[in-house]
Amino acid sequence: MSTTANTLRILIAGGGIAGNSVALQLLRAGIAVTVVERADSPRPGGQAVDLRGPSREVAERMGLMEGITKHLLHEKGMSIVKADGSPVYRMSMEMFDGKGPVADIEITRGDLNDVLLTELAGTAGDLDYRYGDWIETIDQDSEGVTVGFHSGTSERYDLVIGADGVHSRTRKLVFGPEEQFTTYLGGYMSFYTIPTPAGAEQDWMSMHVVPRASLGVRPDYDPATSKAILTLRTEQNPALRGDIAAQHKLIRDMLAEAGWVVPEALSHLETAEDFYFDELVRVDMPSLFQGRVVLLGDSGFCGSPMTGTGTAMAIVGAYLLAGEIAATPADLDAALVRYQEQVTPFLDKAKEIPGGGIQLMLPTSKIGLKMMQQVGRLMTTKLFRPIMMKMLDSTQDYVLPTY
Ligand SMILES: Cc1cc2nc3c(=O)[nH]c(=O)nc-3n(C[C@H](O)[C@H](O)[C@H](O)COP(=O)(O)OP(=O)(O)OC[C@H]3O[C@@H](n4cnc5c(N)ncnc54)[C@H](O)[C@@H]3O)c2cc1C
């Protein structure tokens, strides 16, 4: 039997933005898709993610804008605040024409994932979506992949897509240990939902910075809640992985001296249902595929949340991968080569961290902080605004192929 789109069987590991985006487009192309998500239900959480340039174009081509519009955040801009809550400087959305730190299309990561899941549920096709399961073993030959699942079953697929995040198990099983492909970027980030503090200005992303740490409070779709965003500049400590009590302690220690609404935000650490904490790493793969196993999203190309482009890379990558597979379903090997060729120029731009990384964003001393704030103020002047816009929208010149 010759291979056509509707005889292909593809397994996707991970039901995040990358996994769900590619699942939707493959399903629409008539391909049978299985998704295994390790969590027992869709993972909530994450602060606002923005869609600019090519990622916005993909969201439009995927027909997601109606769902996204219903969950749009109406942020007015970003404000750096002192310990008493008064602004050091402000960057309004208008100042940067929607291309500054706050873009004109902002949606929380959790809401965007819900939009994708709703689209998936409403799409006809052969979709098998499994929560609470993951890949244990992968054996591949030139024709396909035999996968052993944690649940005990074993199944055969034409292709496996590893979209299982920055600590990808698929990558580890097929490509090698995580340390081979990751670079520590000097700190940790944490996100969780809090009741909107009275001292946080409504509809603004506000941020209070102290030496080595910052707390941002960002609007949620529901005005009663906000997203807390913590950034910590510190040495890498593998013992923090999976040890939530140690993660909370590190956060409390590093923000002990901070004012503004920080004590109030930290009082919700233990009770937050969507507490997320991870190290800031960059993932660089020499190749995104090996045989019939291919990586997508953070598993294959993470620049860390500091880039602000993780979601954009996931969506654009998913569009290119699904487009190339659907173009030549009988020649997956060629499709994977083209996927890598198409996505690499986009990644090269998207992985850059605007503003130079955590060392510049979080100085270690009060003097450094003052200097950083001077630079921030300068960026709000008419002369420097175009530079800021270029830094934040490095992918705007990328030309998306049409499938
Ligand atoms: C809860 C959460 C909150 C986040 N918040 C932010 C944020 O506020 N800002 C930001 O810039 N980035 C955030 N990120 C990262 C951001 O989602 C990604 O950078 C980007 O969207 C690319 O997504 P991804 O699908 O590749 O990875 P992820 O979003 O990490 O999704 C990977 C998915 O794979 C699942 N998974 C993990 N291991 C396995 C396995 N072995 N088998 C099957 N499934 C597995 C995970 O549960 C997850 O659902 C967050 C990620 C998560 C999981």
Side-chain angles (χ1 to χ4, degrees), residues 154-169:
S154 169
E155 284 166 60
R156 181 98 178 142
Y157 296 92
D158 297 294
L159 180 73
V160 172
I161 300 176
D164 44 354
V166 68
H167 305 297
S168 170
R169 184 173 167 79

Side-chain angles (χ1 to χ4, degrees), residues 9-12 32-34 36 128 130 143-147 149 154-160 292:
R9 292 189 75 220
I10 295 186
L11 172 68
I12 300 167
V33 174
T34 302
V36 279
D128 179 2
R130 305 176 197 164
E143 300 289 303
V145 192
T146 303
V147 174
F149 292 99
S154 169
E155 284 166 60
R156 181 98 178 142
Y157 296 92
D158 297 294
L159 180 73
V160 172
R292 292 294 183 91

Side-chain angles (χ1 to χ4, degrees), residues 12-20 35-49 108-110 112-113 129-130 133-135 162-170 189-192 218 227-229 274-278 296-315:
I12 300 167
I17 305 292
N20 289 332
V35 180
V36 279
E37 163 58 47
R38 191 180 181 122
D40 291 330
S41 56
R43 282 187 69 179
Q47 45 120 7
V49 292
T108 68
R109 177 205 168 270
L112 180 59
N113 211 24
Y129 206 110
R130 305 176 197 164
D133 204 1
W134 58 89
I135 299 172
D164 44 354
V166 68
H167 305 297
S168 170
R169 184 173 167 79
T170 312
M189 271 183 100
S190 171
F191 311 107
Y192 59 99
R218 222 172 167 176
K227 301 296 185 201
I229 311 162
D274 59 350
F275 178 74
Y276 170 89
F277 179 99
D278 210 342
L296 174 69
D298 279 1
S299 66
F301 38 81
C302 177
S304 90
M306 279 190 299
T307 59
T309 57
T311 305
M313 287 197 279
I315 289 186

